[in-house]
Amino acid sequence: MIEFAVAFALWSAISAASAVVSTLVARRQPKKAGFAMQITMFSLSLAVIELMGGPQRFGLFGGWSLVVQAFLLGFGVSLVLNLLQKDSNVPEFLPEGTERFVLLLVFAPVSEELLNRGLVEGYLLGYGHFWSAILFSALLFALPHWMAYEGSKKRKTGVVGGAFVLGSLAGYIFALGGIIPAIAVHSSANLGGLTVLRFKEKNGN
């Protein structure tokens, strides 16, 4: 089980470093903090993967055959989860307009999947774990959502639970088809969330 401790230590170090950079940037440019965090997360995750054997060892490569299915599945599940949420508050750190779409549909899916699926899950899959690797990476992916969203404990629990479901889905897709389909799940899930948010705003909910 030492590999789970190693995976957690790597995840914690990269997450902490990304948070520190984000905090420093937020002091001067709050709306750029999300980009700073994601770029740092991506760079550090890629560096660690390279140092520990490269993308091939972590199972990052795979075909594109699952991308369409992954996109549709992520979008559909996200629609259901977000519609079940009564309130739809947007975290204050998110930028507005086009930058929000770029952050949520490109930067966050790429960097967070590289860390949670590519590094953490890929490392554990290399030791023969399957479901435990998927669920462990999904848990690590879901936990930060507790602090990212404001509101009641019920609201936070719903957000974390939804993130865990989507993280598990992305993890399963990653184990089958590599990092690209996992990114498709994440990006389409965020798109589903943005779609529901826009719908609720138009309807005054």
Side-chain angles (χ1 to χ4, degrees), residues 82-129:
N82 280 280
L83 285 171
L84 290 175
Q85 290 285 347
K86 292 185 178 180
D87 54 347
S88 304
N89 297 327
V90 179
E92 293 183 359
F93 62 83
L94 285 180
E96 298 176 354
T98 303
E99 288 188 348
R100 178 182 297 177
F101 284 88
V102 173
L103 177 63
L104 293 179
L105 302 185
V106 180
F107 279 76
V110 171
S111 63
E112 292 177 12
E113 289 308 307
L114 188 63
L115 172 60
N116 293 284
R117 252 56 68 182
L119 178 56
V120 173
E121 184 178 331
Y123 176 76
L124 295 174
L125 287 173
Y127 282 90
H129 302 287

Side-chain angles (χ1 to χ4, degrees), residues 15-175:
S15 296
S18 301
V20 169
V21 171
S22 176
T23 300
L24 293 174
V25 172
R27 292 177 181 175
R28 294 188 175 184
Q29 296 179 299
K31 298 302 182 181
K32 301 296 183 183
F35 287 100
M37 172 177 279
Q38 301 302 337
I39 291 170
T40 304
M41 187 181 297
F42 175 84
S43 301
L44 292 177
S45 298
L46 189 60
V48 171
I49 287 172
E50 287 290 348
L51 289 172
M52 295 181 67
Q56 192 68 46
R57 180 192 171 189
F58 285 79
L60 298 187
F61 299 120
W64 289 71
S65 60
L66 294 177
V67 170
V68 174
Q69 298 95 315
F71 187 90
L72 294 175
L73 194 57
F75 186 78
V77 172
S78 178
L79 281 181
V80 173
L81 291 173
N82 280 280
L83 285 171
L84 290 175
Q85 290 285 347
K86 292 185 178 180
D87 54 347
S88 304
N89 297 327
V90 179
E92 293 183 359
F93 62 83
L94 285 180
E96 298 176 354
T98 303
E99 288 188 348
R100 178 182 297 177
F101 284 88
V102 173
L103 177 63
L104 293 179
L105 302 185
V106 180
F107 279 76
V110 171
S111 63
E112 292 177 12
E113 289 308 307
L114 188 63
L115 172 60
N116 293 284
R117 252 56 68 182
L119 178 56
V120 173
E121 184 178 331
Y123 176 76
L124 295 174
L125 287 173
Y127 282 90
H129 302 287
F130 187 78
W131 286 112
S132 56
I134 292 171
L135 297 177
F136 186 71
S137 69
L139 178 62
L140 294 184
F141 168 72
L143 288 178
H145 289 75
W146 180 273
M147 298 182 64
Y149 286 82
E150 298 181 354
S152 64
K153 288 185 178 180
K154 183 178 180 180
R155 158 71 172 163
K156 287 174 172 281
T157 301
V159 170
V160 171
F164 179 77
V165 170
L166 289 166
S168 299
L169 178 60
Y172 182 70
I173 294 294
F174 171 76

Side-chain angles (χ1 to χ4, degrees), residues 8-19:
F8 179 73
L10 292 171
W11 178 87
S12 297
I14 292 173
S15 296
S18 301

